[in-house]
């Protein structure tokens, strides 16, 4: 007697596959604008070999016995000057941005983590895993790739999943330095600034610096900053002589990427360059380096050197165009995961 053939049942989604999560990672911030909190934060930050790649036996004594005792009180004052009722601007603005992206990606678990400080990458990833996430897209909030930022964020993710018995599927986004939506959002923010305040005499695009030897060793950061600036200038219809690119926030005595922002502004001040508009396209949200270093410290130095005024163009923060650009970027990287 022959057994009748029965087709296999229709496949059903694998409930064990779990949820999809998006982790947006920013640099980090102290928990409070106090010397003790800043010291804890700087210690974690400056211990990262991606940030300072000196031999540990040489670097650690210098860090703990010279740099941290001397810099922590000064940096704490700088943080205090920009602290808000919501706390750290970087943390509050990053969370607003992440909230906007989450609303734009229904069905996806979107959360914020900080590479240094809180909420930490391990804590956030463990919470997402406990809530059923089995697939992660990781987006460091740095448009331009650098080993000391983007790669360090990926390091933190990989170190965490190395501890997991059941490792998740991972997609790591390296950069979005020429993403059309992001470029358009930056260009529009500059246009809005000009529409509200009039166009300045010069436009400066200031990016965070890194040591020159990092680039000599193969880091694509400088080339990506140049590509970003050129794309933004093209979107604004600017000629080569209508804007300039510089690098800020250098630390230590070795050569960093040049030209330096502060030195350029001092020279422009001596030249009586008039009103300068400064935008910082490498920063997703406003933070110490934009609100204090550019909008306060460098603005004062520029006027002291003879310039008329320095006007800072705010970061994209949680602007709708920024949210839309990041959401569109993430949708492309989420493609193929059914629940996303």
């Amino acid at each position: 007697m022959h057994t009748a053939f029965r087709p296999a049942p229709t496949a059903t989604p694998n409930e064990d596959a779990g949820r999809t999560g998006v982790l947006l990672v920013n640099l980090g911030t102290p928990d409070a604008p106090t010397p003790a909190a800043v010291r804890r934060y700087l210690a974690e930050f400056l211990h990262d070999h991606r940030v300072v790649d000196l031999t540990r036996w040489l670097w650690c004594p210098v860090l703990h016995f010279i740099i941290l005792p001397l810099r922590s009180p000064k940096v704490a004052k700088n943080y205090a000057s920009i602290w808000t009722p919501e706390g750290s601007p970087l943390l509050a603005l990053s969370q607003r941005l992440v909230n906007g992206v989450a609303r734009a990606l229904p069905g996806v678990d979107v959360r914020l983590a900080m590479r240094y400080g809180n909420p930490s990458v391990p804590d956030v990833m463990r919470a997402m895993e406990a809530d059923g996430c089995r697939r992660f897209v990781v987006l460091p909030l740095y448009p331009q790739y650098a080993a000391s930022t983007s790669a360090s964020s990926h390091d933190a993710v990989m170190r965490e999943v190395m501890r997991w018995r059941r490792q998740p599927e991972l997609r790591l986004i390296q950069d979005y330095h020429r993403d059309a939506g992001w470029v358009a959002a930056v260009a529009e923010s500059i246009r809005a600034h000009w529409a509200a305040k009039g166009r300045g005499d010069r436009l400066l695009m200031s990016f965070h610096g890194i040591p020159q030897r990092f680039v000599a060793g193969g880091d694509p950061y400088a080339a990506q900053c140049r590509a970003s600036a050129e794309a933004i200038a093209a979107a604004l219809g600017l000629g080569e002589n209508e804007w300039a690119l510089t690098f800020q926030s250098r630390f230590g005595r070795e050569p960093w990427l040049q030209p330096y922002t502060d030195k350029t502004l001092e020279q422009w001040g001596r030249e009586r360059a008039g009103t300068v508009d400064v935008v910082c396209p490498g920063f997703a949200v406003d933070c110490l380096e934009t609100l204090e270093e550019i909008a306060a410290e460098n603005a004062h130095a520029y006027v002291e050197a003879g310039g008329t005024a320095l006007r800072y163009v705010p970061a994209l923060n949680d602007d709708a165009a920024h949210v839309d650009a990041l959401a569109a970027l993430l949708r492309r990287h989420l493609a193929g995961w059914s629940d996303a």
Side-chain angles (χ1 to χ4, degrees):
M1 181 176 181
H2 296 286
T3 303
F5 173 75
R6 296 179 182 176
T10 303
T12 57
N14 182 5
E15 294 180 359
D16 198 39
R19 303 172 63 197
T20 297
V22 165
L23 187 69
L24 289 92
V25 185
N26 212 335
L27 186 74
T29 177
D31 294 324
T34 63
V38 168
R39 182 166 183 155
R40 288 193 301 273
Y41 169 73
L42 290 179
E44 183 183 5
F45 173 49
L46 296 175
H47 262 293
D48 188 346
H49 199 265
R50 292 280 196 182
V51 177
V52 181
D53 60 352
L54 299 177
T55 304
R56 298 295 95 175
W57 67 263
L58 173 65
W59 173 241
C60 288
V62 173
L63 174 63
H64 287 281
F65 295 105
I66 299 176
I67 293 176
L68 291 177
L70 293 178
R71 286 186 61 84
S72 297
K74 177 182 177 181
V75 174
K77 290 181 181 179
N78 292 340
Y79 272 107
S81 71
I82 65 165
W83 215 254
T84 73
E86 295 179 86
S88 162
L90 182 140
L91 178 58
L93 292 169
S94 295
Q95 189 61 63
R96 290 183 199 170
L97 174 60
V98 170
N99 291 346
V101 173
R103 288 191 293 270
L105 297 174
V108 180
D109 190 344
V110 182
R111 304 196 197 186
L112 171 69
M114 295 295 174
R115 174 61 186 88
Y116 315 102
N118 298 303
S120 71
V121 168
D123 286 349
V124 175
M125 289 193 69
R126 290 169 196 170
M128 294 173 77
E129 194 272 342
D131 288 340
C133 287
R134 298 290 182 267
R135 298 179 295 268
F136 287 83
V137 173
V138 180
L139 174 59
L141 289 171
Y142 314 108
Q144 302 79 27
Y145 174 94
S148 53
T149 53
S150 308
S152 180
S153 298
H154 294 159
D155 289 346
V157 170
M158 297 305 296
R159 276 196 297 270
E160 175 56 29
V161 301
M162 283 174 63
R163 300 183 175 94
W164 293 12
R165 172 75 58 182
R166 178 177 180 174
Q167 291 188 328
E169 292 182 75
L170 284 174
R171 294 179 182 176
L172 308 178
I173 300 176
Q174 283 202 343
D175 65 82
Y176 50 100
H177 72 285
R178 285 183 61 87
D179 176 79
W182 174 78
V183 169
V186 176
E188 184 53 38
S189 75
I190 297 170
R191 290 193 198 95
H193 171 85
W194 286 343
K197 300 184 178 182
R199 184 168 169 175
D201 298 291
R202 299 188 184 184
L203 175 66
L204 183 66
M205 301 192 204
S206 179
F207 294 81
H208 201 293
I210 62 174
Q212 287 182 2
R213 61 188 172 85
F214 287 10
V215 173
D219 200 304
Y221 179 72
Q224 290 194 0
C225 289
R226 170 61 63 177
S228 292
E230 289 175 347
I232 294 165
L236 291 168
L238 301 180
E240 291 184 3
N241 297 325
E242 296 183 275
W243 62 276
L245 179 153
T246 58
F247 297 94
Q248 65 181 84
S249 310
R250 68 187 183 278
F251 174 77
R253 297 181 179 180
E254 70 174 307
W256 281 39
L257 293 178
Q258 297 184 38
Y260 297 137
T261 297
D262 56 352
K263 300 300 183 184
T264 298
L265 287 170
E266 288 172 10
Q267 178 62 36
W268 286 4
R270 289 191 292 269
E271 295 172 359
R272 301 295 193 269
T275 297
V276 173
D277 294 321
V278 181
V279 64
C280 298
F283 296 91
V285 301
D286 281 316
C287 54
L288 185 72
E289 288 81 0
T290 63
L291 299 174
E292 195 281 327
E293 183 181 353
I294 295 297
E297 180 182 341
N298 276 275
H300 176 75
Y302 176 66
V303 173
E304 285 288 301
T308 302
L310 184 154
R311 304 183 308 191
Y312 170 62
V313 181
L316 293 178
N317 297 318
D318 61 339
D319 183 84
H322 194 198
V323 169
D324 290 345
L326 295 187
L329 172 68
L330 287 162
R331 286 191 195 98
R332 295 196 293 273
H333 286 271
L334 288 163
W337 282 344
S338 59
D339 66 323

